[in-house]
Amino acid sequence: MAAASAYIEQHKEKFEKELFELLRIPSVSTDPERKEEVHQAASWLHNHLSKIGLNRVETFDTEGFPVVYAQSTQREGLPVVLIYGHYDVQPPEPLEEWSSPPFDPVVRNGRIYARGASDDKGQSFAHLKSIEALLSEGKELPVNVKILLEGEEEIGSPNLPPFLKEHRKMLSCDMVLISDTSMFAENRPSITYGLRGLAYMEVLVQGPNRDLHSGVYGGTVRNPANALCEMISGLTDPNGKVLIPGFYEDVVPLDENEREAFSNLPFDEEAYKKSLGLDALYGEQGYSTLERASARPTLDVNGLWSGYQGEGAKTVLPARAGAKVSMRLVPNQKPGKIARLFTRYIRSVSPDGLKVTIKTHHGGDPAMTPLDFYGLKAAGKAFSDIYNTEVLFTREGGSIPVVADFTRILDAPSILMGFGLKEDALHSPDESFSLTDFHRGIRTSARFLEILPEFAELRL
């Protein structure tokens, strides 16, 4: 590790410059006008991986955006680690809320500001730099490594599961290493061992064949906006408990050990509220804030539109209304089943005289990694060695659908080694990533790969 650490320290400015090159590529997968740039990011990564010293680098076309694959598998009998990341990013809008252009990375107060800085270019790039450091001076890696970088994570990874199935043998591994989550707090490293799943729906309500004058027609035609609000208001109770029949049917209750572990986490609720600019929090009764945020299912409206949105007044009875709704799921809940229950419920409360269309968008299964898995323990030791503090093990409220795919298709548990922070403003204007944690992430990744064989041998 000494040689790798020296290499990492000597090349800090080079690593930052390379990351900035990648961040300048506006690889927004959901924007058809950015298609060329998404391919550009894949090409950039292919060329970069080819320079590091891996013995195979290849780009695979899919029905969507390419998968970039690389490997260094020269030593039999040692663990095989598949490192996963994604090179696509969220749209940068609203642009006016950025303090600097989203694809022109700048450093302010020790943080990199750019779209993708933390999610996920900066975090996944840390692993590529750790591999470069370990391979410096012609040395072999301490374990067998495979790298898979996709360009569709931000649109639900539609082409990744088929790719995993088609290339199951090539991708076979003992574990998947992912850095697309956050640490518990600044200088408080944590490893996420559980993720919520996702069912994402859209409801469209169509009324008359055109917008109408609300004075002339009001009181004679059912208003799609009013109707949609009534339908949505019936989805949850005043405390956020979901009222869809059967929604909680498969939920596994939190046991006493889990609840004790949550209560022992160093969580400051007052600081949490202050960081959000709120005077009070909200959620399902009987559960703590941390439990509600990561271990209980939820339902939230993500978008709502209808009628006149411009300045001033316009007395219009809108012809249509729409809403996007996401439901975060916990272990044992299945997105397909939840989508069907949602659809059935909306149908049951849809009023006469309106056409209601329900769409199912992308979803993902919840995922859990056993706390006694040796790879998880090695990751905890690597974090402790670099951050010089105790590592916390937590569950995360967000969803990474491919984690469940890796378990289901490759039979490989995932290690979620996040280097970011919740303050990184993922998916929001002014997304950022701490330069300190970028470099500590490189060292932590290198340390993990170095000590993993010891943990594998002893199954610690």
Side-chain angles (χ1 to χ4, degrees), residues 332-377:
N332 276 26
Q333 287 186 299
K334 297 295 182 182
K337 177 179 179 179
I338 295 300
R340 289 192 296 273
L341 292 175
F342 177 92
T343 300
R344 184 185 305 164
Y345 179 77
I346 292 295
R347 292 286 183 210
S348 73
V349 297
S350 296
D352 295 334
L354 297 173
K355 179 182 178 182
V356 177
T357 303
I358 305 164
K359 297 180 180 180
T360 300
H361 290 286
H362 62 274
D365 289 314
M368 294 279 282
T369 298
L371 284 169
D372 60 356
F373 177 53
Y374 74 91
L376 211 61
K377 294 186 177 183

Side-chain angles (χ1 to χ4, degrees), residues 205-214 216-218 220-225 306-308 314-321 353-354:
V205 180
Q206 177 70 51
N209 58 9
R210 64 188 187 278
D211 286 353
L212 303 175
H213 189 295
S214 64
V216 175
Y217 291 94
T220 68
V221 175
R222 185 179 285 276
N223 186 318
S306 186
Y308 179 63
K314 182 181 181 183
T315 52
V316 60
L317 192 158
R320 62 189 63 84
L354 297 173

Side-chain angles (χ1 to χ4, degrees), residues 68-327:
V68 181
Y69 175 79
Q71 69 178 44
S72 180
T73 54
Q74 301 169 330
R75 307 179 68 180
E76 294 185 8
L78 289 175
V80 180
V81 179
L82 175 64
I83 297 173
Y84 164 85
H86 65 91
Y87 59 85
D88 65 322
V89 299
Q90 281 278 315
E93 288 79 9
L95 296 176
E96 66 274 10
E97 294 187 16
W98 284 80
S99 300
S100 53
F103 296 108
D104 185 10
V106 297
V107 176
R108 296 194 300 271
N109 300 318
R111 301 184 67 82
I112 310 166
Y113 285 83
R115 174 58 87 226
S118 182
D119 181 21
D120 178 46
K121 290 178 177 178
Q123 293 201 60
S124 59
F125 196 65
H127 293 297
L128 306 191
K129 297 296 92 181
S130 77
I131 291 170
E132 177 182 329
L134 289 168
L135 286 171
S136 63
E137 301 178 0
K139 297 178 180 178
E140 290 185 344
L141 293 177
V143 297
N144 296 304
V145 168
K146 299 177 180 180
I147 299 170
L148 188 158
L149 304 172
E150 67 151 325
E152 299 181 334
E153 195 273 346
E154 299 292 5
I155 55 173
S157 302
N159 291 294
L160 191 62
F163 182 85
L164 297 179
K165 292 175 182 177
E166 182 180 354
H167 300 281
R168 185 183 283 110
K169 184 176 180 180
M170 178 184 79
L171 298 170
S172 63
C173 59
D174 296 298
M175 66 199 72
V176 183
L177 182 60
I178 303 173
S179 291
D180 199 10
T181 52
S182 301
M183 297 189 293
F184 190 81
E186 188 176 4
N187 298 316
R188 291 308 308 265
S190 59
I191 294 174
T192 302
Y193 68 92
L195 291 166
R196 289 194 291 198
L198 175 68
Y200 198 102
M201 312 296 292
E202 183 172 351
V203 180
L204 300 171
V205 180
Q206 177 70 51
N209 58 9
R210 64 188 187 278
D211 286 353
L212 303 175
H213 189 295
S214 64
V216 175
Y217 291 94
T220 68
V221 175
R222 185 179 285 276
N223 186 318
N226 292 358
L228 179 61
C229 289
E230 292 169 6
M231 294 159 67
I232 289 174
S233 69
L235 290 170
T236 58
D237 75 6
N239 294 303
K241 182 179 180 180
V242 181
L243 300 178
I244 297 172
F247 184 84
Y248 292 96
E249 187 174 65
D250 300 318
V251 173
V252 178
L254 290 170
D255 63 34
E256 291 304 315
N257 290 332
E258 287 179 300
R259 303 202 75 173
E260 183 179 359
F262 273 111
S263 67
N264 289 334
L265 290 171
F267 176 66
D268 186 336
E269 190 159 297
E270 290 303 315
Y272 183 79
K273 288 191 291 187
K274 184 177 180 180
S275 72
L276 298 173
L278 297 173
D279 295 325
L281 299 179
Y282 161 89
E284 188 181 6
Q285 290 186 327
Y287 296 93
S288 69
T289 299
L290 286 180
E291 289 170 342
R292 295 196 303 260
S294 61
R296 292 295 295 170
T298 62
L299 183 151
D300 287 290
V301 174
N302 300 143
L304 190 63
W305 65 96
S306 186
Y308 179 63
Q309 305 293 321
E311 293 291 333
K314 182 181 181 183
T315 52
V316 60
L317 192 158
R320 62 189 63 84
K324 294 181 187 291
V325 178
S326 68
M327 291 164 283

